[in-house]
Amino acid sequence: MGCVSSKDQPQQQFNIKLPDSINQTTLQTDLDLSDSQDYYLQIGMNLSSIGELHPKVQLVHQELGDLFPNLQGQYIMMPDQSIFFGQTLNGKRNGQGKQHWQKEGNFLEGTWIDNQLNGRARMIYPNGDYFDGNFVNNIANGIGKFVNSRKEVRGFWLNNKLIGEGTEIRKNGTIYVGQFQDGKIHGQGKFEFANGCVYKGNVYKGKMHGNGELIFNDNTRYVGEFRNNCIQGSGIYEASIPIQGWFHSKYEHQTIFLYFFRQETPVLIDNQDCALIQKQLSTFFD
């Protein structure tokens, strides 16, 4: 037996990375190219849009709206064939603008200073994910928000990694408020699970792990040790009469099984003499 869950998946890191070519710029207009550069002159004269956005990018962009309405400026062709439109100075991106990687599908809106992203920016990815936050010299630094099809994460990014206090709101109804480290849920935090249970305590790699308190949806609670999202170790189960001892939990068939032992029992195996508490939970702790 033991702790069983089909939801044990790697925890995603909420780290932001921009294309390596974002620093490279080639201004393409008839005012900036010599007459001998006929090919590039033609490209510059034909640039009248940043290209058609990927369908999912277009859908997200329509929902969010333009980051900078009524944007004016020049077109810039990048060496990787992405296209920038916005404010420029001396052939470099300088001010508000937007950039589209037609091949990859990424779409970026932001503020540049001397060709570097500085200030608020928003990147929409071809799968519909997006990041909206503050940048310093092309690196996410400051308050930001990352959204994908499963969750929304708000917090503070330092050198492209989510760190410190933050909030994760999952589409299944689970809400986490607490600490992040290196882009992962880690430290101290609180889960309000979709199944009606509430956990407060240590979290490790996105899971209940260490010492904490779990309040079940029937208002009983367990205070003690957790391992890998499961009750495991010494603790107290509080219902009408408190029970103190060693506990193990297992979840299957929408039921959590809580095994209680009077003495320390590090491993849960079949045919052990123990007390059993059962609770109906519609979903696991995810």
Side-chain angles (χ1 to χ4, degrees):
M1 293 192 288
C3 184
V4 178
S5 170
S6 61
K7 303 292 186 178
D8 192 9
Q9 300 177 350
Q11 182 72 12
Q12 178 181 355
Q13 294 190 33
F14 298 104
N15 302 335
I16 306 302
K17 186 177 187 303
L18 297 173
D20 294 334
S21 60
I22 194 167
N23 289 318
Q24 302 172 346
T25 308
T26 302
L27 187 62
Q28 301 288 351
T29 71
D30 54 344
L31 298 178
D32 296 288
L33 297 170
S34 66
D35 293 340
S36 61
Q37 294 176 302
D38 295 334
Y39 174 70
Y40 292 107
L41 177 61
Q42 185 177 6
I43 292 178
M45 293 177 66
N46 288 338
L47 283 177
S48 58
S49 76
I50 60 172
E52 184 175 352
L53 298 180
H54 186 280
K56 289 186 178 180
V57 173
Q58 180 68 34
L59 181 62
V60 173
H61 182 251
Q62 288 176 347
E63 293 175 353
L64 299 176
D66 288 323
L67 195 58
F68 306 114
N70 305 315
L71 181 65
Q72 297 181 353
Q74 288 182 297
Y75 288 97
I76 296 178
M77 175 68 74
M78 308 293 286
D80 63 358
Q81 302 303 301
S82 64
I83 301 174
F84 169 87
F85 176 77
Q87 299 169 342
T88 63
L89 179 64
N90 298 326
K92 296 182 179 181
R93 292 162 294 181
N94 213 83
Q96 298 173 350
K98 54 187 177 182
Q99 187 168 342
H100 182 210
W101 286 261
Q102 296 183 82
K103 182 178 179 181
E104 296 83 358
N106 298 333
F107 175 63
L108 173 66
E109 298 171 278
T111 301
W112 280 261
I113 299 176
D114 195 26
N115 228 30
Q116 300 276 310
L117 268 180
N118 281 279
R120 184 185 176 187
R122 184 174 69 198
M123 173 74 88
I124 306 176
Y125 301 91
N127 62 357
D129 298 353
Y130 72 90
F131 175 77
D132 188 336
N134 190 72
F135 283 76
V136 177
N137 296 330
N138 282 351
I139 299 175
N141 275 288
I143 300 298
K145 176 176 71 172
F146 176 82
V147 179
N148 64 20
S149 60
R150 302 181 306 279
K151 64 189 72 177
E152 174 181 317
V153 183
R154 297 173 179 266
F156 187 87
W157 270 258
L158 178 65
N159 295 330
N160 283 344
K161 294 184 177 181
L162 181 60
I163 191 169
E165 297 294 324
T167 300
E168 178 177 305
I169 303 172
R170 300 175 184 174
K171 295 296 177 67
N172 67 1
T174 293
I175 299 174
Y176 169 80
V177 179
Q179 296 176 329
F180 289 78
Q181 180 176 312
D182 292 331
K184 296 181 180 180
I185 291 175
H186 185 89
Q188 290 281 325
K190 175 183 177 182
F191 277 107
E192 296 181 8
F193 292 105
N195 58 24
C197 300
V198 177
Y199 172 82
K200 303 176 184 178
N202 292 329
V203 288
Y204 177 74
K205 292 185 178 180
K207 298 179 179 181
M208 302 180 293
H209 193 91
N211 293 315
E213 173 188 4
L214 179 62
I215 303 173
F216 293 98
N217 52 12
D218 60 0
N219 289 323
T220 60
R221 70 173 185 165
Y222 166 84
V223 181
E225 294 179 303
F226 292 78
R227 294 290 182 272
N228 197 32
N229 248 16
C230 294
I231 293 172
Q232 182 179 336
S234 64
I236 301 174
Y237 173 74
E238 298 182 354
S240 56
I241 300 176
I243 302 173
Q244 184 170 2
W246 196 274
F247 294 83
H248 289 267
S249 70
K250 180 180 68 172
Y251 179 81
E252 59 184 13
H253 307 305
Q254 295 187 320
T255 303
I256 185 169
F257 299 89
L258 189 59
Y259 300 87
F260 164 66
F261 302 85
R262 291 291 182 184
Q263 297 179 342
E264 181 176 339
T265 309
V267 180
L268 181 63
I269 60 177
D270 292 332
N271 302 319
Q272 284 180 295
D273 185 16
C274 64
L276 176 62
I277 302 169
Q278 298 183 44
K279 295 179 181 293
Q280 296 296 312
L281 293 178
S282 58
T283 60
F284 190 64
F285 301 111
D286 57 9

